[in-house]
Amino acid sequence: MTSVGVVETRYLDLPGPLPLDCGRELSRVRVAYETYGTMSPDRDNVILVCHALSGDAHAAGIAAQPPEEGTREGYAKGLGWWDGMIGPGKAFDTDRYLVVSTNLLGGCRGTTGPSSTDPATGEPYGPDFPVITVADMVRCERAFLDELGIDRLAAVAGGSLGGMQALEWATRYPDQVDAIVVIASTHALQPQGVAWNAIAREAIMRDPDWQGGRYYGTGRAPDAGMGVARMVGHITYLSAPGLAEKFGRRLQDGLNYTITEPEFAVESYLRHQAAAFVRRFDANTYLYLSRALTYFELGPLDQVKARTLLISFSSDWLYPPAASQEIADTLTRLGKSVENHVIDAPYGHDCFLLEEARQTPIVRRFLQEGTE
Amino acid sequence: MTSVGVVETRYLDLPGPLPLDCGRELSRVRVAYETYGTMSPDRDNVILVCHALSGDAHAAGIAAQPPEEGTREGYAKGLGWWDGMIGPGKAFDTDRYLVVSTNLLGGCRGTTGPSSTDPATGEPYGPDFPVITVADMVRCERAFLDELGIDRLAAVAGGSLGGMQALEWATRYPDQVDAIVVIASTHALQPQGVAWNAIAREAIMRDPDWQGGRYYGTGRAPDAGMGVARMVGHITYLSAPGLAEKFGRRLQDGLNYTITEPEFAVESYLRHQAAAFVRRFDANTYLYLSRALTYFELGPLDQVKARTLLISFSSDWLYPPAASQEIADTLTRLGKSVENHVIDAPYGHDCFLLEEARQTPIVRRFLQEGTE
């Protein structure tokens, strides 16, 4: 299997204002995107891939721009966040499909978000950016695809918050999406997940450098709080057995009787993760996307026409297999076409980014069946 | 069942310096303590109760001093943190036993800790307080009981960090303790728990108001970071099903599209918990006790003579039943007297403070058997 090669992120400005759930609208929305593969003459082979909280438009291939330092393995090489799944012969096979990936509305990697300039003031939006929802993200994706002349999607796919978008697509635009691939996601975040997200946001907002969200251009950003938010997120993305396997109770450098310095290897790892994340991610975007994903509640599934593939992971306690099962049961009861797979793997929620080898045959066969 | 009535916290100054695992020693250690019940003529009916991270010496009865506002139900009434377990006819029956409770070494509720005055400087210790261990806490308890003329304990009991102390007593002073009651505890915190504790400490230390630990007398304390630490702790003490039952995804007041204000009831609850906790607890004590409990690793059990009672709770994912089972298996293999009970209850680690009715008959019978 090979890579899609070097990829340039492109940008598209939506022509009209984007209406939002909160009642406001956004004008001059810019969308950062990448595409991999070739559009068929019938324009019927487009797959939209939706990223999760900390992702971006660069889903596959090697970034043309020099990559910022990041936390994921592969980042240093400029590899897209789902490079293992998108490419020739891969799960989302670019020999067959045109895969389109956008940075989410509210993002900080090229698409309009709280760090963008508010055309009304000429200043960054900051906390004046409207509070957005998953439905708003999907509206933005729909408007973006309109501009590309893509009416209909062969599939929408994503993990976590990306899976929520796929589900939203199937209910909001039932006639415009043939299939959805929903990985490690849920119809509604469970209350414990709501709490973890609230704590992560508190950590950011309680950092005095957050400055009520107006930190742009001040030379100070809430890196300390963002670091804590990332640490919380990170541990919820892993599983207890996964942590035990990776770090155990291993000490970093003997026992030094210190409070301020890392003693256990996992402490050192968390600090590293936090430091790398704050370099590449905007704190306000974290707040807005975190809020959007806690709001998400999937509407009625009666109108769904898309074939649905659900994949979850046995050790994912944040987006547990039971959530996918619930969606599958509802779709089945309604007589819809649905497949639900639970992959037994120890790495928690992060499995959706790691267990490519085991997801690939499931996704390939599912997509294939849609073309038969 | 009745209460032990109004109780006054007393204070005792240890005569000699206290040697510590880190190689340093502490001079002029003061211990805050309470007692409930009456010592037998043979001095053979003393039970030492050890508190967990956020507890204090006031384990039972109604505080003589007006109580500070706190987070636990009962606090407002000045009730001790284990009042449901300690009293006439209760699990630790004050008609039979003299129950002794101390504030831990490193604490902030009367026993010497980082907020105490360093006799060498006349200033609060702050970050110059030595890094302590569970063994140090137990050494302090041993020295304290010496002063009270108590050589031998009928039992040592505690939950969580308190259970670690009970285990440490049985291995460090095998000839001086007849029985230990170890509730919702472990031989060594699992790596995920190490990580949660590290994150809580990071939240405190990254708060600029922490000031490297020298915040006393500055008019500023790391309340923001402590609040986040408490939120993290709080969610790890509850279970996902418990949270679902208590809060679900209930909104506080409709959907308001706000990032800064609580939307979900669980968010509002977390903020309340955090605000109440910072009013009654010292941030440096949190750091030191959190560090001590992550260090704890139970030594060899060959020398243990105490009968051992282990209780854990099915939904406790921080101190899971498997940890107690491991201790029980080791003791059984060594031919020691051990009982292990897993109580099926949905409230996570907090069960040890909540499930009094189901713990009581187990503890009463276990203690009774020791006197037959």
Side-chain angles (χ1 to χ4, degrees), chain B residues 34-37 45 47 49 86 92-94 97-101:
Chain B
E34 295 189 1
T35 64
Y36 324 105
N45 73 330
I47 295 179
V49 157
I86 302 167
F92 302 101
D93 190 343
T94 51
Y97 296 100
L98 173 70
V99 177
V100 179
S101 167

Side-chain angles (χ1 to χ4, degrees), chain A residues 353-369:
Chain A
L353 294 167
L354 300 171
E355 290 285 340
E356 294 149 348
R358 291 161 76 186
Q359 294 178 77
T360 294
I362 298 170
V363 173
R364 279 183 66 88
R365 192 188 36 70
F366 172 80
L367 294 174
Q368 179 88 41
E369 282 172 6

Side-chain angles (χ1 to χ4, degrees), chain A residues 202 263 271 291 295, chain B residues 202 263 267 271 291 295:
Chain A
E202 287 283 335
E263 288 273 50
R271 287 197 185 186
R291 182 52 107 188
Y295 279 152
Chain B
E202 287 283 335
E263 288 273 50
E267 291 179 64
R271 286 196 185 186
R291 181 53 105 190
Y295 278 151

Side-chain angles (χ1 to χ4, degrees), chain A residues 12-15 142-150:
Chain A
L12 185 148
D13 294 320
L14 300 185
R142 176 66 274 177
F144 158 79
L145 292 169
D146 284 345
E147 291 311 296
L148 255 54
I150 297 167

Side-chain angles (χ1 to χ4, degrees), chain B residues 9-353:
Chain B
T9 302
R10 284 174 284 175
Y11 303 89
L12 185 148
D13 294 321
L14 299 184
L18 190 71
L20 303 171
D21 273 348
C22 67
R24 291 172 58 187
E25 59 179 32
L26 274 170
S27 53
R28 296 200 222 163
V29 172
R30 168 164 290 189
V31 177
Y33 71 104
E34 295 189 1
T35 64
Y36 324 105
T38 310
M39 181 118 66
S40 64
D42 293 344
R43 299 178 163 260
D44 63 353
N45 73 330
V46 180
I47 295 179
L48 176 69
V49 157
C50 305
H51 69 73
L53 194 146
S54 65
D56 53 29
H58 182 47
I62 298 158
Q65 298 88 349
E68 293 132 75
E69 196 173 348
T71 57
R72 277 181 304 104
E73 209 179 328
Y75 235 89
K77 289 175 278 181
L79 283 179
W81 58 269
W82 229 7
D83 188 71
M85 294 284 280
I86 302 167
K90 295 182 182 177
F92 302 101
D93 190 343
T94 51
D95 289 337
R96 288 167 164 267
Y97 296 100
L98 173 70
V99 177
V100 179
S101 167
T102 69
N103 184 212
L104 298 187
L105 182 69
C108 56
R109 311 272 294 176
T111 292
T112 298
S115 60
S116 305
T117 301
D118 179 350
T121 65
E123 300 289 323
Y125 282 103
D128 300 326
F129 195 76
V131 174
I132 53 172
T133 64
V134 171
D136 294 332
M137 296 170 186
V138 167
R139 282 191 190 98
C140 181
E141 289 158 2
R142 176 67 274 175
F144 159 78
L145 291 169
D146 285 345
E147 291 311 296
L148 256 53
I150 297 166
D151 293 332
R152 193 176 175 81
L153 292 167
V156 183
S160 195
L161 172 58
M164 291 177 178
Q165 293 163 69
L167 288 163
E168 183 69 23
W169 263 93
T171 53
R172 182 163 293 273
Y173 305 114
D175 294 315
Q176 295 159 38
V177 52
D178 294 333
I180 57 173
V181 178
V182 179
I183 305 177
S185 193
T186 181
H187 56 291
L189 198 65
Q190 49 153 338
Q192 195 191 51
V194 173
W196 288 127
N197 274 276
I199 294 170
R201 292 195 305 274
E202 287 283 335
I204 293 170
M205 294 191 296
R206 285 165 178 246
D207 184 334
D209 286 341
W210 183 59
Q211 304 170 65
R214 300 187 197 281
Y215 52 85
Y216 304 112
T218 66
R220 295 183 292 128
D223 292 349
M226 261 278 277
V228 172
R230 180 59 167 179
M231 290 180 185
V232 169
H234 205 80
I235 295 301
T236 64
Y237 302 153
L238 303 175
S239 71
L243 274 168
E245 184 190 313
K246 190 165 182 176
F247 299 104
R249 291 181 43 88
R250 201 166 65 248
L251 292 170
Q252 186 72 359
D253 178 31
L255 196 59
N256 292 306
Y257 297 103
T258 170
I259 302 283
T260 52
E261 297 308 309
E263 288 273 50
F264 294 92
V266 68
E267 291 179 64
S268 176
Y269 172 78
L270 283 169
R271 286 196 185 186
H272 170 77
Q273 291 289 331
F277 187 66
V278 299
R279 279 196 292 273
R280 72 173 173 90
F281 210 79
D282 176 59
N284 280 336
T285 280
Y286 196 101
L287 296 177
Y288 278 84
L289 299 192
S290 166
R291 181 53 105 190
L293 73 84
T294 63
Y295 278 151
F296 181 68
E297 291 193 11
L298 183 61
L301 300 175
D302 310 70
Q303 303 306 315
V304 169
K305 293 182 180 169
R307 297 185 307 122
T308 300
L309 173 64
L310 299 153
I311 299 177
S312 59
F313 301 93
S314 57
S315 58
D316 185 350
W317 55 287
L318 193 62
Y319 293 77
S324 292
Q325 187 62 54
E326 207 171 305
I327 299 168
D329 290 348
T330 304
L331 287 169
T332 301
R333 203 162 45 239
L334 293 167
K336 313 287 181 183
S337 167
V338 57
E339 264 186 54
N340 184 27
H341 297 260
V342 182
I343 294 177
D344 188 28
Y347 308 111
H349 187 55
D350 263 1
C351 283
F352 91 86
L353 294 169

Side-chain angles (χ1 to χ4, degrees), chain A residues 190-221:
Chain A
Q190 49 153 340
Q192 196 191 50
V194 172
W196 288 127
N197 274 276
I199 294 170
R201 292 195 306 274
E202 287 283 335
I204 293 169
M205 294 192 294
R206 285 165 178 245
D207 185 332
D209 287 341
W210 183 57
Q211 305 170 64
R214 301 187 196 281
Y215 52 86
Y216 305 112
T218 66
R220 296 182 291 129

